[in-house]
Amino acid sequence: MNVLNKNIDIAEVVRNDIEHHFHPFTDHKAFHAEGGPRVMTQAEGVYIWDGKGNKILDAMSGLWCVNVGYGRKELAEAAYRQMLDLPYYNTFFKTTTVPTTELAAKISSVMPDRFKHIFFTNSGSESNDTIVRFVRHYWKLKGKPYRQHFIARVRGYHGSTMVAANLGGFQGMHEQVGTEFPGFHHVQQPHWFDFGGDKTPEEFGLEAAAALENKILEVGPDNVAAFIGEPVQGAGGVIIPPSTYWPEVERICRKYGILIISDEVICGFGRTGNWWGFETMGFSPDIVPMAKGLSSGYLPIGAVAFADHLIKDFFELGGEFYHGMTYAGHPVSCAVALRNIEIIQQEKLVERARELGPYFAAALASLRDHPIVGETRSVGLIGAIEISNDKAKRGRFAKPGRVGSMCRDNCIRNGLIMRACWDTMVLSPPLVISRQEIDKIVQLARVALDATYAEVKAEVA
Ligand code: PXG
């Protein structure tokens, strides 16, 4: 693949970007000081190319989403055909479209039997907003209007709209939201590396779950509407809970009649080696938000699956649900998502993620001998490398995120995209990745870790 054939004036793109494009999640002062964006122009399989012709192995699937890999003609064709047939129609006021309905049935078919009803949105954030709207209304309909509080985890990520940012546990986001909305609470995340101390991971998993019960008792069990968590926290640093955690969380929520929301925006569609992260982690949610892997990022779409017991009450109790977005169930996004799920099924990508899981884990573990690697962990094809200044004590470098950013920059310079969540390097490669490409990730990661070590050697214990 040769980007130079495309006749793109990259300098012009950079100029325009600096002058006209206001970027999300960006420190704008630093961005301009560093000379603007890297322009991505093409992609194929697990590789992307930038405007300078650099070939980069994308170990992050874009932003945790391109599960079927780049360059899928089938998805482009599905969009093209649907645009000619019916580019848009809404799903309000008792109408639907063919791909919207087919996709709802398809999603339901890859979920446990109790999930038969799917509500469509355009993103993970909108999915979580929808859930807060639904759940609060649901409890009112059920005659329990006091059940309005949500409990989530510190550094859980649930999106960036006002409600989703409140639901998430990112302090920086809370500060910028201004006044925090009432009714959102955050508890300890099950992150053994940073908080486990001398406990075994299993003991610590129970302790982290107990933090939820304490919070429930503090808020008042009857006031709590739902608990939300990602089966494996993604943007928080690929936090894979100890095996004791989720079963105990489930037991506690059931004890107090609290709904369980499994945020599958990252974990869904095969990432952890099963269709859903809750299957891998062993619990049974009532509500499941999804996005990203639903269309492998080829078009924006999100969805929420609701368990039958909620839907039954909701339908029987009646009244209009005053909620929906113009593009909810967009026929083109749905046609692409449908084809995407068919690809996942035809190519057995969920099974592939499961089979490759141990290989990926062993490949990452080969980095544990590195002087600044404190831990590696993974499940299916999502993993993390903890950067540490003191391996024996699971120590951290001063100024959280500083060394992680250095490592990320060294990765990109070397042709690898690996994201830094503070000082945790995270990976979430396309599910189509090969064993050789996994080896390549580790080889490039080691070069980046070496370069980073050379810069911070004096601070290592
Ligand atoms: N839930 C989870 C678990 C997510 O990871 C969302 C909800 C929100 O989805 P939308 O489609 O509204 O972005 C996400 C999104 C990062 C990063 O830096 C991660 C996400 C979004 C932006 C940045 O890792 N995840």
Short mmCIF file of all heavy atoms in Angstrom, two decimals, residues 334-388:
data_model
loop_
_atom_site.label_atom_id
_atom_site.label_comp_id
_atom_site.label_asym_id
_atom_site.label_seq_id
_atom_site.Cartn_x
_atom_site.Cartn_y
_atom_site.Cartn_z
N CYS A 334 -27.01 0.28 10.79
CA CYS A 334 -27.52 -1.06 11.16
C CYS A 334 -27.11 -2.09 10.12
O CYS A 334 -26.73 -3.22 10.47
CB CYS A 334 -29.03 -1.04 11.32
SG CYS A 334 -29.56 -0.20 12.83
N ALA A 335 -27.18 -1.73 8.83
CA ALA A 335 -26.78 -2.68 7.77
C ALA A 335 -25.31 -3.05 7.93
O ALA A 335 -24.93 -4.22 7.78
CB ALA A 335 -27.05 -2.07 6.39
N VAL A 336 -24.49 -2.07 8.26
CA VAL A 336 -23.05 -2.33 8.44
C VAL A 336 -22.81 -3.17 9.70
O VAL A 336 -22.02 -4.13 9.67
CB VAL A 336 -22.27 -1.00 8.48
CG1 VAL A 336 -20.84 -1.21 8.93
CG2 VAL A 336 -22.30 -0.35 7.11
N ALA A 337 -23.50 -2.83 10.77
CA ALA A 337 -23.33 -3.61 12.02
C ALA A 337 -23.77 -5.06 11.81
O ALA A 337 -23.12 -5.99 12.31
CB ALA A 337 -24.11 -2.96 13.15
N LEU A 338 -24.85 -5.23 11.08
CA LEU A 338 -25.35 -6.58 10.80
C LEU A 338 -24.31 -7.40 10.05
O LEU A 338 -23.99 -8.54 10.42
CB LEU A 338 -26.63 -6.44 9.96
CG LEU A 338 -27.47 -7.68 9.71
CD1 LEU A 338 -27.95 -8.26 11.02
CD2 LEU A 338 -28.67 -7.29 8.83
N ARG A 339 -23.76 -6.81 9.02
CA ARG A 339 -22.73 -7.50 8.22
C ARG A 339 -21.49 -7.77 9.08
O ARG A 339 -20.85 -8.81 8.97
CB ARG A 339 -22.37 -6.64 7.00
CG ARG A 339 -21.54 -7.32 5.97
CD ARG A 339 -22.35 -8.34 5.16
NE ARG A 339 -21.47 -9.21 4.42
CZ ARG A 339 -21.01 -10.39 4.87
NH1 ARG A 339 -21.35 -10.85 6.06
NH2 ARG A 339 -20.21 -11.12 4.13
N ASN A 340 -21.18 -6.81 9.96
CA ASN A 340 -20.03 -6.97 10.87
C ASN A 340 -20.22 -8.18 11.78
O ASN A 340 -19.31 -8.99 11.96
CB ASN A 340 -19.89 -5.69 11.69
CG ASN A 340 -18.85 -5.79 12.79
OD1 ASN A 340 -17.67 -5.96 12.53
ND2 ASN A 340 -19.30 -5.71 14.03
N ILE A 341 -21.42 -8.33 12.32
CA ILE A 341 -21.67 -9.49 13.22
C ILE A 341 -21.62 -10.79 12.41
O ILE A 341 -21.10 -11.80 12.87
CB ILE A 341 -23.03 -9.34 13.96
CG1 ILE A 341 -22.99 -8.11 14.86
CG2 ILE A 341 -23.32 -10.59 14.80
CD1 ILE A 341 -24.29 -7.82 15.60
N GLU A 342 -22.13 -10.72 11.18
CA GLU A 342 -22.03 -11.93 10.32
C GLU A 342 -20.57 -12.32 10.09
O GLU A 342 -20.22 -13.49 10.13
CB GLU A 342 -22.73 -11.68 8.98
CG GLU A 342 -24.24 -11.70 9.08
CD GLU A 342 -24.93 -11.17 7.82
OE1 GLU A 342 -24.25 -10.85 6.81
OE2 GLU A 342 -26.16 -11.05 7.86
N ILE A 343 -19.72 -11.31 9.87
CA ILE A 343 -18.28 -11.61 9.68
C ILE A 343 -17.71 -12.25 10.94
O ILE A 343 -16.99 -13.24 10.89
CB ILE A 343 -17.50 -10.31 9.33
CG1 ILE A 343 -17.88 -9.83 7.93
CG2 ILE A 343 -15.99 -10.55 9.42
CD1 ILE A 343 -17.26 -8.48 7.55
N ILE A 344 -18.06 -11.68 12.10
CA ILE A 344 -17.56 -12.24 13.37
C ILE A 344 -17.98 -13.71 13.48
O ILE A 344 -17.18 -14.57 13.88
CB ILE A 344 -18.08 -11.43 14.58
CG1 ILE A 344 -17.52 -10.00 14.55
CG2 ILE A 344 -17.71 -12.11 15.91
CD1 ILE A 344 -18.08 -9.06 15.61
N GLN A 345 -19.21 -13.99 13.07
CA GLN A 345 -19.68 -15.38 13.15
C GLN A 345 -19.01 -16.27 12.10
O GLN A 345 -18.51 -17.34 12.42
CB GLN A 345 -21.21 -15.42 12.95
CG GLN A 345 -21.95 -14.82 14.14
CD GLN A 345 -23.45 -14.81 13.97
OE1 GLN A 345 -23.96 -14.46 12.91
NE2 GLN A 345 -24.16 -15.20 15.00
N GLN A 346 -19.00 -15.78 10.83
CA GLN A 346 -18.45 -16.63 9.76
C GLN A 346 -16.98 -16.93 9.98
O GLN A 346 -16.51 -18.03 9.72
CB GLN A 346 -18.63 -15.93 8.40
CG GLN A 346 -20.06 -16.01 7.89
CD GLN A 346 -20.40 -14.88 6.89
OE1 GLN A 346 -19.53 -14.10 6.48
NE2 GLN A 346 -21.66 -14.81 6.50
N GLU A 347 -16.24 -15.94 10.45
CA GLU A 347 -14.79 -16.14 10.63
C GLU A 347 -14.44 -16.61 12.04
O GLU A 347 -13.27 -16.68 12.39
CB GLU A 347 -14.06 -14.83 10.27
CG GLU A 347 -14.30 -14.46 8.83
CD GLU A 347 -13.55 -13.22 8.36
OE1 GLU A 347 -12.69 -12.71 9.11
OE2 GLU A 347 -13.84 -12.77 7.23
N LYS A 348 -15.48 -16.88 12.83
CA LYS A 348 -15.30 -17.41 14.19
C LYS A 348 -14.30 -16.55 14.99
O LYS A 348 -13.34 -17.07 15.58
CB LYS A 348 -14.83 -18.86 14.16
CG LYS A 348 -15.81 -19.82 13.48
CD LYS A 348 -15.48 -21.26 13.85
CE LYS A 348 -16.36 -22.29 13.17
NZ LYS A 348 -17.75 -21.98 12.95
N LEU A 349 -14.53 -15.25 14.98
CA LEU A 349 -13.57 -14.35 15.62
C LEU A 349 -13.66 -14.39 17.15
O LEU A 349 -12.67 -14.12 17.83
CB LEU A 349 -13.74 -12.92 15.10
CG LEU A 349 -13.43 -12.74 13.61
CD1 LEU A 349 -13.58 -11.28 13.20
CD2 LEU A 349 -12.02 -13.23 13.26
N VAL A 350 -14.84 -14.75 17.67
CA VAL A 350 -14.94 -14.87 19.13
C VAL A 350 -14.08 -16.06 19.58
O VAL A 350 -13.26 -15.94 20.51
CB VAL A 350 -16.41 -15.06 19.57
CG1 VAL A 350 -16.50 -15.22 21.08
CG2 VAL A 350 -17.27 -13.88 19.11
N GLU A 351 -14.24 -17.18 18.87
CA GLU A 351 -13.44 -18.37 19.20
C GLU A 351 -11.96 -18.07 19.00
O GLU A 351 -11.10 -18.51 19.77
CB GLU A 351 -13.85 -19.54 18.29
CG GLU A 351 -15.27 -20.06 18.49
CD GLU A 351 -16.34 -19.23 17.78
OE1 GLU A 351 -16.05 -18.12 17.28
OE2 GLU A 351 -17.49 -19.69 17.73
N ARG A 352 -11.68 -17.29 17.96
CA ARG A 352 -10.29 -16.94 17.67
C ARG A 352 -9.67 -16.16 18.83
O ARG A 352 -8.54 -16.42 19.26
CB ARG A 352 -10.25 -16.11 16.39
CG ARG A 352 -8.86 -15.81 15.88
CD ARG A 352 -8.95 -14.81 14.72
NE ARG A 352 -7.62 -14.40 14.35
CZ ARG A 352 -6.85 -15.05 13.50
NH1 ARG A 352 -7.30 -16.14 12.92
NH2 ARG A 352 -5.64 -14.63 13.24
N ALA A 353 -10.44 -15.18 19.36
CA ALA A 353 -9.92 -14.39 20.49
C ALA A 353 -9.67 -15.30 21.68
O ALA A 353 -8.68 -15.13 22.41
CB ALA A 353 -10.91 -13.28 20.86
N ARG A 354 -10.57 -16.29 21.86
CA ARG A 354 -10.40 -17.20 23.00
C ARG A 354 -9.14 -18.06 22.81
O ARG A 354 -8.36 -18.25 23.72
CB ARG A 354 -11.63 -18.08 23.16
CG ARG A 354 -11.66 -18.86 24.46
CD ARG A 354 -12.89 -19.74 24.56
NE ARG A 354 -14.08 -19.03 24.13
CZ ARG A 354 -15.14 -19.62 23.54
NH1 ARG A 354 -15.15 -20.92 23.33
NH2 ARG A 354 -16.18 -18.90 23.17
N GLU A 355 -8.99 -18.59 21.56
CA GLU A 355 -7.84 -19.47 21.30
C GLU A 355 -6.51 -18.71 21.37
O GLU A 355 -5.50 -19.22 21.84
CB GLU A 355 -7.98 -20.10 19.92
CG GLU A 355 -8.95 -21.28 19.92
CD GLU A 355 -9.47 -21.58 18.52
OE1 GLU A 355 -8.79 -21.22 17.53
OE2 GLU A 355 -10.57 -22.14 18.44
N LEU A 356 -6.54 -17.47 20.86
CA LEU A 356 -5.29 -16.69 20.86
C LEU A 356 -4.96 -16.13 22.25
O LEU A 356 -3.82 -15.71 22.49
CB LEU A 356 -5.40 -15.53 19.87
CG LEU A 356 -5.18 -15.86 18.39
CD1 LEU A 356 -5.38 -14.61 17.53
CD2 LEU A 356 -3.79 -16.44 18.15
N GLY A 357 -5.95 -16.11 23.14
CA GLY A 357 -5.77 -15.51 24.47
C GLY A 357 -4.50 -15.99 25.17
O GLY A 357 -3.66 -15.17 25.57
N PRO A 358 -4.33 -17.30 25.33
CA PRO A 358 -3.13 -17.79 26.04
C PRO A 358 -1.83 -17.42 25.31
O PRO A 358 -0.82 -17.13 25.96
CB PRO A 358 -3.33 -19.31 26.06
CG PRO A 358 -4.81 -19.50 25.94
CD PRO A 358 -5.29 -18.38 25.06
N TYR A 359 -1.89 -17.39 23.97
CA TYR A 359 -0.68 -17.01 23.21
C TYR A 359 -0.34 -15.53 23.46
O TYR A 359 0.82 -15.17 23.70
CB TYR A 359 -0.92 -17.26 21.71
CG TYR A 359 0.33 -17.11 20.87
CD1 TYR A 359 1.21 -18.18 20.71
CD2 TYR A 359 0.66 -15.89 20.29
CE1 TYR A 359 2.38 -18.04 19.98
CE2 TYR A 359 1.83 -15.74 19.55
CZ TYR A 359 2.67 -16.81 19.39
OH TYR A 359 3.83 -16.67 18.67
N PHE A 360 -1.38 -14.71 23.43
CA PHE A 360 -1.22 -13.27 23.68
C PHE A 360 -0.68 -13.06 25.10
O PHE A 360 0.27 -12.29 25.32
CB PHE A 360 -2.59 -12.61 23.51
CG PHE A 360 -2.61 -11.11 23.61
CD1 PHE A 360 -1.81 -10.32 22.79
CD2 PHE A 360 -3.49 -10.48 24.49
CE1 PHE A 360 -1.86 -8.93 22.87
CE2 PHE A 360 -3.55 -9.09 24.56
CZ PHE A 360 -2.73 -8.32 23.75
N ALA A 361 -1.25 -13.79 26.06
CA ALA A 361 -0.83 -13.66 27.47
C ALA A 361 0.65 -14.04 27.61
O ALA A 361 1.42 -13.35 28.28
CB ALA A 361 -1.69 -14.54 28.36
N ALA A 362 1.05 -15.14 26.97
CA ALA A 362 2.44 -15.60 27.08
C ALA A 362 3.38 -14.60 26.40
O ALA A 362 4.48 -14.33 26.89
CB ALA A 362 2.58 -16.98 26.45
N ALA A 363 2.92 -14.04 25.27
CA ALA A 363 3.76 -13.07 24.56
C ALA A 363 4.00 -11.84 25.45
O ALA A 363 5.14 -11.37 25.60
CB ALA A 363 3.09 -12.67 23.24
N LEU A 364 2.93 -11.37 26.09
CA LEU A 364 3.08 -10.21 26.99
C LEU A 364 3.97 -10.58 28.18
O LEU A 364 4.83 -9.80 28.60
CB LEU A 364 1.72 -9.72 27.48
CG LEU A 364 0.78 -9.10 26.44
CD1 LEU A 364 -0.52 -8.65 27.10
CD2 LEU A 364 1.44 -7.91 25.74
N ALA A 365 3.75 -11.79 28.69
CA ALA A 365 4.53 -12.22 29.88
C ALA A 365 6.02 -12.27 29.58
O ALA A 365 6.85 -12.12 30.50
CB ALA A 365 4.03 -13.58 30.36
N SER A 366 6.38 -12.44 28.30
CA SER A 366 7.81 -12.47 27.97
C SER A 366 8.47 -11.12 28.24
O SER A 366 9.69 -11.01 28.26
CB SER A 366 8.00 -12.88 26.50
OG SER A 366 7.64 -11.81 25.65
N LEU A 367 7.65 -10.08 28.46
CA LEU A 367 8.20 -8.74 28.77
C LEU A 367 8.45 -8.54 30.26
O LEU A 367 8.98 -7.51 30.68
CB LEU A 367 7.25 -7.64 28.26
CG LEU A 367 7.05 -7.57 26.74
CD1 LEU A 367 5.87 -6.65 26.41
CD2 LEU A 367 8.32 -7.04 26.06
N ARG A 368 8.05 -9.53 31.08
CA ARG A 368 8.13 -9.32 32.54
C ARG A 368 9.57 -9.20 33.05
O ARG A 368 9.79 -8.71 34.15
CB ARG A 368 7.42 -10.46 33.28
CG ARG A 368 5.93 -10.37 33.19
CD ARG A 368 5.26 -11.47 34.00
NE ARG A 368 3.83 -11.52 33.70
CZ ARG A 368 3.05 -12.55 33.97
NH1 ARG A 368 3.56 -13.62 34.56
NH2 ARG A 368 1.77 -12.51 33.67
N ASP A 369 10.52 -9.67 32.23
CA ASP A 369 11.91 -9.55 32.68
C ASP A 369 12.44 -8.12 32.47
O ASP A 369 13.54 -7.78 32.90
CB ASP A 369 12.81 -10.54 31.93
CG ASP A 369 12.85 -10.25 30.43
OD1 ASP A 369 12.14 -9.32 29.98
OD2 ASP A 369 13.60 -10.94 29.70
N HIS A 370 11.65 -7.28 31.84
CA HIS A 370 12.14 -5.93 31.54
C HIS A 370 12.23 -5.08 32.82
O HIS A 370 11.34 -5.16 33.68
CB HIS A 370 11.21 -5.24 30.52
CG HIS A 370 11.83 -4.03 29.92
ND1 HIS A 370 11.82 -2.81 30.53
CD2 HIS A 370 12.52 -3.88 28.77
CE1 HIS A 370 12.47 -1.95 29.77
NE2 HIS A 370 12.90 -2.58 28.70
N PRO A 371 13.29 -4.27 32.95
CA PRO A 371 13.49 -3.53 34.21
C PRO A 371 12.34 -2.60 34.61
O PRO A 371 12.20 -2.30 35.80
CB PRO A 371 14.75 -2.70 33.94
CG PRO A 371 15.33 -3.17 32.67
CD PRO A 371 14.39 -4.09 32.00
N ILE A 372 11.49 -2.13 33.69
CA ILE A 372 10.40 -1.25 34.13
C ILE A 372 9.02 -1.88 33.93
O ILE A 372 8.00 -1.19 33.97
CB ILE A 372 10.45 0.16 33.46
CG1 ILE A 372 10.42 0.07 31.94
CG2 ILE A 372 11.65 0.95 33.97
CD1 ILE A 372 10.16 1.42 31.27
N VAL A 373 8.97 -3.19 33.75
CA VAL A 373 7.66 -3.86 33.65
C VAL A 373 7.33 -4.54 34.98
O VAL A 373 8.04 -5.43 35.43
CB VAL A 373 7.64 -4.88 32.49
CG1 VAL A 373 6.36 -5.71 32.52
CG2 VAL A 373 7.77 -4.16 31.15
N GLY A 374 6.26 -4.06 35.62
CA GLY A 374 5.88 -4.59 36.94
C GLY A 374 4.90 -5.73 36.85
O GLY A 374 4.79 -6.55 37.77
N GLU A 375 4.12 -5.78 35.79
CA GLU A 375 3.12 -6.84 35.64
C GLU A 375 2.66 -6.84 34.19
O GLU A 375 2.64 -5.78 33.54
CB GLU A 375 1.91 -6.57 36.56
CG GLU A 375 0.83 -7.64 36.47
CD GLU A 375 -0.41 -7.34 37.33
OE1 GLU A 375 -1.30 -6.61 36.86
OE2 GLU A 375 -0.48 -7.84 38.46
N THR A 376 2.27 -8.01 33.68
CA THR A 376 1.50 -8.05 32.44
C THR A 376 0.26 -8.86 32.74
O THR A 376 0.28 -9.76 33.58
CB THR A 376 2.28 -8.70 31.28
OG1 THR A 376 2.54 -10.07 31.61
CG2 THR A 376 3.59 -7.97 30.99
N ARG A 377 -0.84 -8.53 32.08
CA ARG A 377 -2.08 -9.29 32.28
C ARG A 377 -2.92 -9.18 31.02
O ARG A 377 -2.81 -8.19 30.27
CB ARG A 377 -2.85 -8.77 33.50
CG ARG A 377 -3.19 -7.31 33.40
CD ARG A 377 -4.06 -6.79 34.55
NE ARG A 377 -4.27 -5.35 34.37
CZ ARG A 377 -3.53 -4.39 34.90
NH1 ARG A 377 -2.48 -4.71 35.67
NH2 ARG A 377 -3.78 -3.12 34.67
N SER A 378 -3.75 -10.17 30.79
CA SER A 378 -4.66 -10.11 29.65
C SER A 378 -5.74 -11.15 29.81
O SER A 378 -5.61 -12.09 30.59
CB SER A 378 -3.90 -10.34 28.34
OG SER A 378 -3.38 -11.65 28.31
N VAL A 379 -6.81 -10.94 29.05
CA VAL A 379 -7.85 -11.96 28.92
C VAL A 379 -8.35 -11.84 27.49
O VAL A 379 -8.62 -10.73 27.02
CB VAL A 379 -8.97 -11.78 29.99
CG1 VAL A 379 -9.58 -10.39 29.97
CG2 VAL A 379 -10.06 -12.83 29.81
N GLY A 380 -8.44 -12.96 26.78
CA GLY A 380 -8.76 -12.87 25.36
C GLY A 380 -7.74 -11.98 24.68
O GLY A 380 -6.53 -12.16 24.86
N LEU A 381 -8.24 -10.98 23.94
CA LEU A 381 -7.30 -10.08 23.25
C LEU A 381 -7.38 -8.66 23.80
O LEU A 381 -7.43 -7.68 23.06
CB LEU A 381 -7.57 -10.12 21.74
CG LEU A 381 -7.11 -11.43 21.07
CD1 LEU A 381 -7.50 -11.45 19.60
CD2 LEU A 381 -5.60 -11.64 21.21
N ILE A 382 -7.40 -8.55 25.11
CA ILE A 382 -7.28 -7.24 25.77
C ILE A 382 -6.23 -7.43 26.87
O ILE A 382 -6.28 -8.41 27.61
CB ILE A 382 -8.64 -6.74 26.30
CG1 ILE A 382 -8.52 -5.34 26.90
CG2 ILE A 382 -9.27 -7.71 27.29
CD1 ILE A 382 -9.87 -4.66 27.15
N GLY A 383 -5.26 -6.51 26.91
CA GLY A 383 -4.19 -6.73 27.86
C GLY A 383 -3.53 -5.44 28.32
O GLY A 383 -3.85 -4.34 27.83
N ALA A 384 -2.63 -5.57 29.28
CA ALA A 384 -1.96 -4.41 29.85
C ALA A 384 -0.55 -4.75 30.29
O ALA A 384 -0.24 -5.90 30.63
CB ALA A 384 -2.74 -3.88 31.05
N ILE A 385 0.29 -3.73 30.27
CA ILE A 385 1.66 -3.82 30.78
C ILE A 385 1.81 -2.70 31.80
O ILE A 385 1.64 -1.53 31.46
CB ILE A 385 2.68 -3.60 29.63
CG1 ILE A 385 2.47 -4.63 28.50
CG2 ILE A 385 4.11 -3.64 30.17
CD1 ILE A 385 3.22 -4.29 27.22
N GLU A 386 2.07 -3.07 33.05
CA GLU A 386 2.23 -2.05 34.09
C GLU A 386 3.68 -1.56 34.11
O GLU A 386 4.60 -2.35 34.25
CB GLU A 386 1.88 -2.60 35.47
CG GLU A 386 0.42 -2.96 35.67
CD GLU A 386 -0.49 -1.74 35.78
OE1 GLU A 386 -0.01 -0.59 35.64
OE2 GLU A 386 -1.70 -1.95 35.99
N ILE A 387 3.85 -0.25 33.97
CA ILE A 387 5.19 0.32 34.07
C ILE A 387 5.46 0.67 35.53
O ILE A 387 4.64 1.32 36.17
CB ILE A 387 5.30 1.56 33.17
CG1 ILE A 387 5.14 1.11 31.72
CG2 ILE A 387 6.62 2.27 33.38
CD1 ILE A 387 5.41 2.16 30.72
N SER A 388 6.60 0.22 36.01
CA SER A 388 6.89 0.35 37.43
C SER A 388 8.34 0.76 37.63
O SER A 388 9.21 0.31 36.89
CB SER A 388 6.61 -1.01 38.09
OG SER A 388 7.05 -1.01 39.43
#
